[in-house]
Amino acid sequence: MTLQQFLLILRARYKIALLALLVTVTTAVVVSLLLPKQYTTGAAVVIDVKAPDMVSGMILQGMMAPGYMATQVDIINSDRVAKTVVKMLKMDQSAAIQQQWQDDTKGEGQLADWLANLLQKNLDVKPARESTVININYTAVDPDFATAVANAFAQAYIDVNLDLQVAPARQYATFFEEQTKEARAKLEKAQQALSDYQQTHGITSADERLDFETAKLNETSSQLTGIQGQTTDSQSKRLNAQSDTLAEVMQSPLINGLKADIARMESRLTESSVNLGKNHPQAQRYAAELSSLKAQLTSETEKIRRSIETSYQISLAREQQLKGALENQKKRVLKLNKQRDELNVLRRDIESAQRAFELVSQRASQTNIASQTNQTNVSVLNPAVRPTLPSKPRVFLNTLVAIFLGTLLGVGLALMLELKERKVRSAQDLRDALDLPVLGSIGRATHLLPGKKVAA
């Protein structure tokens, strides 16, 4: 079909097309005028995605995610926010609304759920492009009701968002409070175990006591070493067969004096024996004195040998005593070392319990503060105001749409009627129908008026 054929069809059936257009436009205008007027108003909320956390002071990376704004829109459209709006406006306490709910649902279900579904049907939430502003629009027959609901949705969203942030902190606060009690009990138990151990073993300061006992052990060991040296020296002197070679004998002034007296007496005796004879009374007196000096020398030498023997026995006994004391002191030091090790274990238990208690207590304090916060990163940018002009029905827009649809409907009806009852309206139609060339055509006859000439 060519454009000429299309235009010829419209010219032939323009009445039908105009009738369809007129009916469509008239119907749209009448329906638009009969529909109840609806008012739309909206509140704008802004989300500060770069605001730090109230407790930790850190910026949450989840707020910077691409799906964060979509999540906030879903929260506003959620049943929880709608039910919060119902409670805020006390809609569930209205007798008229309760009667309407009874008539509509026969009392099935919950009134709050039914009201939430009704509110969600007229709610329109749109995030602003390339910003963190969310527009909350609501449409209702009553402009005051629409304003109240839009503002209620904005406030309910802030309350629910805050509750979503605080609810985990409350759970953590309860958990860490219980953990703090357990950690405190463990710390007190560890401290009590250390105190009981010190009281049982009479320990006041294990380190000072161990240092004293260690010094005492070192002193006993030094004494034993000295006594062992003395015992060895006494034993070597005791086993010496020649008494004259002993140092004590050689260094004794008394023995040296006796030896000098014996030497002088021997010299006198020899001189007397030569000059006076052996039987001379003076020579015999010298011999008796010499014998007495030798006996005294032997006695003094024997005393020194006995003193060496006595010193050996004393040193030997002292050595055995020091060995016993050293062995006992070693046992005391080892016992103190064991006690100190056990004390160190108990102290480490206390330190570990103390660190755990401090860590859990700190987390409990943080979560407790977070659970009590009333700050959120959402605030109302623009509250909803009472609309003065209705948003629906849009008579002018509906008329334009009706004109467009009526035109399409009229053209469609004209074409359908033409296809149902095809007529020859041009030479092209005849050529298409008979598939023969057209030799000529006669135009439409026109009436001649006086004074007019027919064109050749």
Side-chain angles (χ1 to χ4, degrees), residues 172-244:
Y172 280 120
T174 303
F175 170 76
F176 281 113
E177 184 177 358
E178 295 176 356
Q179 294 299 317
T180 302
K181 293 180 181 178
E182 294 181 2
R184 183 185 293 110
K186 290 181 180 179
L187 177 59
E188 293 175 353
K189 183 178 180 181
Q191 292 175 342
Q192 186 63 37
L194 177 62
S195 178
D196 293 342
Y197 186 83
Q198 289 177 334
Q199 292 179 0
T200 302
H201 295 84
I203 300 174
T204 55
S205 178
D207 294 335
E208 294 180 359
R209 185 177 179 186
L210 179 61
D211 293 339
F212 172 75
E213 295 295 341
T214 302
K216 188 175 180 180
L217 175 65
N218 295 331
E219 182 181 358
T220 304
S221 179
S222 300
Q223 292 178 2
L224 177 61
T225 303
I227 290 298
Q228 286 177 342
Q230 293 178 9
T231 303
T232 303
D233 183 55
S234 299
Q235 185 177 9
S236 62
K237 292 178 180 179
R238 174 172 168 268
L239 297 177
N240 190 359
Q242 297 180 358
S243 301
D244 296 339

Side-chain angles (χ1 to χ4, degrees), residues 203-420:
I203 300 174
T204 55
S205 178
D207 294 335
E208 294 180 359
R209 185 177 179 186
L210 179 61
D211 293 339
F212 172 75
E213 295 295 341
T214 302
K216 188 175 180 180
L217 175 65
N218 295 331
E219 182 181 358
T220 304
S221 179
S222 300
Q223 292 178 2
L224 177 61
T225 303
I227 290 298
Q228 286 177 342
Q230 293 178 9
T231 303
T232 303
D233 183 55
S234 299
Q235 185 177 9
S236 62
K237 292 178 180 179
R238 174 172 168 268
L239 297 177
N240 190 359
Q242 297 180 358
S243 301
D244 296 339
T245 59
L246 294 175
E248 287 78 359
V249 175
M250 296 177 65
Q251 295 175 0
S252 176
L254 179 59
I255 292 178
N256 290 330
L258 292 173
K259 287 182 178 181
D261 292 341
I262 290 173
R264 286 194 297 270
M265 191 58 65
E266 286 178 349
S267 176
R268 290 177 183 178
L269 177 61
T270 302
E271 184 179 356
S272 297
S273 298
V274 173
N275 295 329
L276 301 176
K278 295 180 178 181
N279 294 323
H280 190 274
Q282 187 176 0
Q284 290 181 356
R285 183 172 61 82
Y286 286 158
E289 290 180 0
L290 180 61
S291 177
S292 176
L293 289 173
K294 287 183 178 180
Q296 186 178 358
L297 177 63
T298 302
S299 176
E300 293 296 332
T301 302
E302 187 62 26
K303 287 182 180 180
I304 293 176
R305 289 186 62 86
R306 287 198 300 271
S307 66
I308 292 175
E309 179 68 23
T310 302
S311 177
Y312 170 72
Q313 295 296 333
I314 292 173
S315 297
L316 187 62
R318 180 61 177 165
E319 180 181 351
Q320 296 297 327
Q321 183 182 2
L322 288 175
K323 283 183 178 180
L326 181 63
E327 194 66 27
N328 293 331
Q329 191 64 24
K330 285 182 178 180
K331 292 180 180 180
R332 290 174 62 85
V333 172
L334 292 176
K335 182 180 179 180
L336 287 176
N337 282 329
K338 184 179 179 181
Q339 291 178 353
R340 186 181 65 174
D341 293 339
E342 293 178 355
L343 284 175
N344 290 333
V345 172
L346 294 175
R347 288 171 180 171
R348 284 194 293 269
D349 291 341
I350 293 177
E351 293 175 358
S352 178
Q354 181 70 30
R355 288 193 298 269
F357 173 72
E358 291 176 354
L359 179 61
V360 174
S361 179
Q362 182 180 5
R363 292 295 303 275
S365 177
Q366 291 178 350
T367 53
N368 187 30
I369 295 175
S371 64
Q372 297 177 3
T373 183
N374 57 359
Q375 302 295 325
T376 180
N377 65 327
V378 182
S379 58
V380 177
L381 181 62
N382 296 319
V385 295
R386 185 181 186 278
T388 57
L389 298 176
S391 60
K392 294 179 182 179
R394 301 178 181 180
V395 179
F396 181 72
L397 180 60
N398 293 341
T399 302
L400 292 180
V401 174
I403 291 173
F404 176 74
L405 294 178
T407 302
L408 292 180
L409 180 60
V411 172
L413 287 175
L415 292 177
M416 288 178 61
L417 292 175
E418 183 67 23
L419 293 176
K420 185 178 180 181

Side-chain angles (χ1 to χ4, degrees), residues 72-79 81-82 120 123-125 153:
Q72 302 308 307
V73 172
D74 292 337
I75 292 175
I76 299 174
N77 287 317
S78 64
D79 294 339
V81 174
Q120 289 173 338
L123 180 66
D124 183 21
V125 182
F153 262 102

